[in-house]
Amino acid sequence: MIPAEPIVDVHGRPVPWESCLTLNNHWGYCRSDHDWKPAPVLIHRLVECVSKGGNMLLNVGPDARGRIPVESRRILARIGEWMDANSESVRGCGPAGLGRPEWGRWTAGHGKLYAHVMEPPVGPLVLTGLDRDQVGSVHLLSDGSELPLVDSWTVVGGRSRAMVSFGPQLEWTYPLPDPVDTVLEIELR
């Protein structure tokens, strides 16, 4: 289980916690269980755990000969590909202290904020909870390319809100650079 909110003690201080998940529906190898969780689901759950101050333990069940099933290897390879490009946004990170945005999750660490964009916006992406004057720069974590801060006449309070565009034109928002989780690295002023 992943809690709905970060876990805190009676004094409101964060309490370390961990969620243990499986790749399918069994804790050990089960020859007849072919209900594999797709890598995007597990990546989203990892980010959710980190955004709530937790850790995710992923259980992998080898067969009777000690072999990891082929589908498990495929899922783990896909998660590994995503981690190769985006691990800085989860390793050593935790909650950002911002509410959950409609488009995904926030994490924070290494003196930066990370926006995990899992749902494409319509128009520019509003960096929910941030004013434009708070943001120094925004980059795609996967390749370091800078995303421009933009204004939009379609967003109430558009000039004061921090917004970015993913394309050369303000209204271009689809597809996201990573359809699973596009991670933005944000440096504050």
Side-chain angles (χ1 to χ4, degrees):
M1 174 179 149
I2 299 173
E5 301 289 331
I7 298 176
V8 295
D9 66 16
V10 295
H11 303 290
R13 295 180 300 234
V15 174
W17 62 272
E18 181 172 78
S19 183
C20 303
L21 303 178
T22 61
L23 289 175
N24 55 16
N25 289 315
H26 287 83
W27 286 102
Y29 177 74
C30 180
R31 183 177 55 187
S32 62
D33 186 353
H34 302 289
D35 295 321
W36 301 99
K37 294 175 182 91
V41 167
L42 295 167
I43 291 167
H44 289 184
R45 295 298 73 83
L46 169 62
V47 171
E48 179 182 0
C49 287
V50 173
S51 76
K52 295 176 179 178
N55 184 53
M56 186 177 92
L57 174 68
L58 187 57
N59 177 269
V60 179
D63 67 16
R65 297 190 194 302
R67 295 177 298 209
I68 303 296
V70 170
E71 192 58 29
S72 292
R73 292 195 308 265
R74 284 188 191 121
I75 294 166
L76 293 171
R78 177 63 187 103
I79 294 170
E81 290 169 8
W82 184 87
M83 287 292 289
D84 284 345
N86 299 291
S87 64
E88 185 180 327
S89 69
V90 292
R91 288 189 177 138
C93 290
L98 299 168
R100 180 178 178 196
E102 290 182 356
W103 40 257
R105 301 270 179 190
W106 287 107
T107 60
H110 322 290
K112 299 172 186 167
L113 287 175
Y114 300 96
H116 292 264
V117 184
M118 300 170 191
E119 296 288 333
V122 174
L125 177 76
V126 177
L127 298 174
T128 309
L130 296 178
D131 289 333
R132 186 182 184 117
D133 62 356
Q134 293 176 284
V135 177
S137 65
V138 180
H139 294 87
L140 286 175
L141 184 58
S142 62
D143 68 8
S145 59
E146 187 167 6
L147 295 179
L149 288 171
V150 297
D151 293 324
S152 174
W153 62 270
T154 62
V155 178
V156 174
R159 294 202 182 272
S160 65
R161 294 179 137 185
M163 294 182 281
V164 296
S165 178
F166 290 101
Q169 293 182 343
L170 177 64
E171 65 276 5
W172 289 7
T173 58
Y174 194 82
L176 288 171
D178 181 335
V180 173
D181 179 359
T182 297
V183 182
L184 308 182
E185 176 185 71
I186 301 167
E187 293 195 36
L188 300 177
R189 294 183 185 188

